[in-house]
Amino acid sequence: MKNMGDGGMSVVAFLKGAGVKHIFSVSGGPLNPIYRACSVLDLPLVHTRHEAAACFMAEAAARVTGAPGVAAVTLGPGVTNTVTPALVSTMAGTPLLILGAQAPTHTFERGAGMSWDPLPILGSVTKWSARVLDVQRIPEYLEIAWRKMWAGRPGPVFLELPADVLSASVEADPSARPTAPQRPIGPHISPEAATSLTAAFASAERPILILGDELFWDRSDRLVAAIEKNRMPFTTLRLARGLVDETHELWAGPGYVPCNAALRCALAEADCVILLGHHFEFDLGFGAGVNSAARIVQVASDPDLLGRNRRATLAIQASPASAVPAIEAAPEMPVDADWVTQVVAGWRAERDAQLPTAAGDSLHPVAAVDAVCEVAPENAIFVSSHGNVDFWADARLRLRRPGRYLRAGQSGALGAEIPYGLGARFADPSAPVIVFVGDGGVGYHVTEIDTAARYERPFIIVVLDDEMWGAIALPQERVYQETFEMELPRRDWGRVAEGLGGVTTYARTAAELSAAISDAIASGRPHLVQVPVASVLSPYMDYISK
Ligand SMILES: Cc1ncc(C[n+]2csc(CCOP(=O)(O)OP(=O)(O)O)c2C)c(N)n1
Ligand SMILES: [Mg+2]
């Protein structure tokens, strides 16, 4: 019995061979062959409290390690609970495999309990969704899943495994570990494209470099050298945050125009914009604010991103990492050093001006975020949300390394924060993980503190408590001079955390908060720190809600 080869063994053998480190799940009877195989083949299984949380954790692991994350969920409602994380993963461009159970094939169309056809639902929020009907073909379907996740811009895929397929015996040796396909590299920039690229910015006096998502998957170790050789200001956004140390003197702040007025100004004045591994998306103002006379050089391997929202003067379909040596090797540009100084100093001054002058009864969000960052070590992983207080965090954080900053991405999904924190901790057990979340967002998946306690994966949740759904309330106030059901009475999140196996601190001042974070890092237990903060509209919310 113990060494029985079945569909579950095929699944887990493949995942082991692919380098998967955990399967995140909420149990379901039809998944039992996978669970048994995890035990036999020694692939750690993490039993969470909600399927959405399981998927968010898997996706977080991908954002930290650079390898696809995997979640396994039961049929029907188990699968439909994964729709939001699948959407987040699609919009963020992160590789996530969701394995969904299904009733046995002989019950199809008979109204089996819990059973529903999820393919039309998951098909609309993933890159690919499919059903496996033959146990012998499980490795083949998983191989397709891997290819699809990595094809072009990465994204999620869904694979349905009916109960009889998963429990059927396999002929193949289950201990054999097929290897999964790697992310395809390329295409490498051609010599002609490299020449056009250097020609496009040969006369640039005011160049700016934007580092985006694809560079996270397709790293270049020449980025710093290329930036320094040309002395050009650079900005980082989304998955590219921390790819170059953001304390670098040429960093022009986070690549979110809503919270970076200096960047808006720089883009309006630049005569050359080099956009690597990204497109002119929402947070880059769809490219509308870029100087109309600027030459725009865009490099991405997915042709669908080239020219999106703003046409590039030179659009190169190539690995962005392969373009970096060409930028480094280009003849010196006549860069206007005063302009560069003005751009980076502009961002620093803007950031400094955010520092609160007078302390009210509650902490200013900036003081709270800074108090946390002050004591966080260089390898700390930060998670931020999509509430008003978190948008302050975006502007305060300076990431020193890649894979240290998790934010749901363009979907803006509230609720990912706590599972992201825990998933990150599973992915890198050596790094302290700090989650910034509002008193609204905390309610979605706070129960995962129990999962952290059960698996002894400590992480820190900082609840920035302004007693309201601030990001919605503050703009309502501005437009209507009143708010509608926006108040959230102060709740004792600490007692919730304690009840779930965590520990807690209530911090009223910056000094108390810094001390609480230091203690939490040292404690080795899941820790929730509740911090009353003032409701102050963040520059980001101010900009997008005008
Ligand atoms: C899944 C989801 N539902 C609703 C929203 C809309 N939304 C954005 S911010 C926000 C308020 C968040 O409140 P809180 O977590 O307390 O943070 P605050 O804005 O108060 O700082 C809401 C409801 C969303 N982004 N995602
Ligand atoms: Mg709030």
Side-chain angles (χ1 to χ4, degrees):
M1 181 69 183
K2 195 91 173 123
N3 293 317
M4 185 177 73
D6 62 7
M9 294 286 269
S10 292
V11 169
V12 175
F14 183 95
L15 298 179
K16 283 277 283 191
V20 171
K21 298 287 184 261
H22 300 95
I23 297 185
F24 298 92
S25 186
V26 173
S27 58
L31 294 170
N32 284 340
I34 291 183
Y35 295 157
R36 184 190 70 101
C38 282
S39 165
V40 173
L41 298 178
D42 197 21
L43 177 57
L45 176 66
V46 181
H47 200 161
T48 72
R49 288 280 178 172
H50 193 288
E51 288 83 1
C55 290
F56 282 136
M57 287 181 210
E59 199 231 343
R63 288 167 180 260
V64 172
T65 63
V70 180
V73 300
T74 197
L75 68 167
V79 173
T80 55
N81 274 344
T82 71
V83 170
T84 299
L87 177 71
V88 171
S89 169
T90 292
M91 292 179 77
T94 48
L96 167 69
L97 168 65
I98 303 170
L99 299 170
Q102 183 53 284
T105 51
H106 67 267
T107 67
F108 279 15
E109 302 298 337
R110 290 179 173 172
M114 292 181 74
S115 182
W116 194 256
D117 178 5
L119 296 190
I121 305 171
L122 269 292
S124 69
V125 286
T126 58
K127 294 174 88 175
W128 179 72
S129 68
R131 169 177 295 140
V132 188
L133 291 172
D134 175 358
V135 67
Q136 305 298 343
R137 296 189 66 189
I138 285 177
E140 180 189 343
Y141 270 84
L142 284 167
E143 172 136 5
I144 299 169
W146 242 255
R147 277 201 296 109
K148 299 277 186 187
M149 275 191 287
W150 281 134
R153 190 166 181 257
V157 298
F158 172 76
L159 204 56
E160 185 187 85
L161 299 154
D164 52 331
V165 175
L166 210 44
S167 59
S169 303
V170 283
E171 290 153 15
D173 173 6
S175 63
R177 296 207 182 141
T179 53
Q182 300 294 306
R183 180 182 186 274
I185 302 179
H188 199 277
I189 193 167
S190 68
E192 296 74 27
T195 305
S196 309
L197 181 139
T198 50
F201 58 70
S203 58
E205 293 174 15
R206 298 182 305 281
I208 184 156
L209 178 66
I210 304 174
L211 308 179
D213 284 346
E214 194 179 348
L215 281 167
F216 178 73
W217 312 111
D218 179 27
R219 305 272 173 93
S220 166
D221 57 8
R222 304 305 306 164
L223 263 177
V224 180
I227 288 166
E228 288 178 352
K229 153 120 193 268
N230 295 287
R231 301 285 312 156
M232 52 183 162
F234 70 98
T235 184
T236 42
L237 81 160
R238 300 199 187 277
L239 298 171
R241 292 223 45 191
L243 273 181
V244 176
D245 185 338
E246 294 176 355
T247 61
H248 194 285
E249 52 165 341
L250 290 168
W251 189 54
Y256 312 120
V257 298
C259 73
N260 188 340
L263 179 62
R264 291 202 290 275
C265 208
L267 290 172
E269 292 173 356
D271 61 2
C272 180
V273 176
I274 306 167
L275 179 57
L276 291 186
H278 217 87
H279 61 288
F280 283 111
E281 50 124 304
F282 164 73
D283 268 339
L284 286 172
F286 304 112
V290 176
N291 177 5
S292 55
R295 269 153 300 148
I296 297 176
V297 180
Q298 186 183 6
V299 187
S301 61
D302 183 352
D304 202 32
L305 300 182
L306 295 171
R308 188 174 186 205
N309 298 325
R310 176 74 195 253
R311 196 174 294 176
T313 323
L314 179 64
I316 301 174
Q317 188 202 345
S319 130
S322 75
V324 175
I327 297 172
E328 185 188 355
E332 217 165 286
M333 299 181 232
V335 174
D336 178 344
D338 291 341
W339 182 79
V340 174
T341 306
Q342 185 191 310
V343 169
V344 292
W347 163 246
R348 282 201 206 116
E350 189 178 329
R351 194 175 178 279
D352 288 347
Q354 293 171 344
L355 292 170
T357 42
D361 285 347
S362 302
L363 267 182
H364 188 288
V366 167
V369 173
D370 283 5
V372 172
C373 293
E374 227 164 70
V375 292
E378 200 178 303
N379 68 338
I381 297 176
F382 292 96
V383 178
S384 81
S385 173
H386 284 77
N388 179 59
V389 282
D390 310 282
F391 286 134
W392 283 108
D394 284 333
R396 305 308 300 170
L397 294 172
R398 281 179 300 198
L399 287 309
R400 316 283 312 264
R401 304 186 196 175
R404 306 284 105 178
Y405 174 69
L406 285 70
R407 181 177 184 256
Q410 279 204 263
S411 66
L414 217 56
E417 311 81 10
I418 290 175
Y420 267 10
L422 186 48
R425 184 72 199 206
F426 273 104
D428 184 349
S430 67
V433 178
I434 300 168
V435 177
F436 290 110
V437 66
D439 51 323
V442 66
Y444 283 71
H445 287 297
V446 68
T447 44
E448 297 304 333
I449 291 174
D450 160 69
T451 309
R454 274 185 288 122
Y455 287 88
E456 297 181 1
R457 296 288 168 145
F459 73 118
I460 303 163
I461 302 167
V462 181
V463 181
L464 299 166
D465 183 0
D466 63 354
E467 296 177 273
M468 67 171 89
W469 301 91
I472 312 298
L474 297 173
Q476 275 184 2
E477 181 70 47
R478 175 147 80 189
V479 177
Y480 304 109
Q481 291 79 55
E482 60 176 318
T483 62
F484 310 99
E485 301 297 323
M486 287 292 119
E487 295 81 16
L488 288 168
R490 181 144 296 150
R491 295 302 186 202
D492 194 341
W493 293 107
R495 270 174 67 193
V496 174
E498 280 176 355
L500 291 165
V503 285
T504 184
T505 312
Y506 201 84
R508 286 172 199 77
T509 65
E512 282 176 13
L513 179 52
S514 295
I517 299 298
S518 298
D519 290 350
I521 291 172
S523 83
R525 303 263 312 271
H527 208 117
L528 185 145
V529 186
Q530 187 163 353
V531 193
V533 292
S535 297
V536 194
L537 193 69
S538 62
Y540 191 105
M541 281 309 302
D542 181 46
Y543 185 83
I544 64 168
S545 60
K546 268 189 181 131

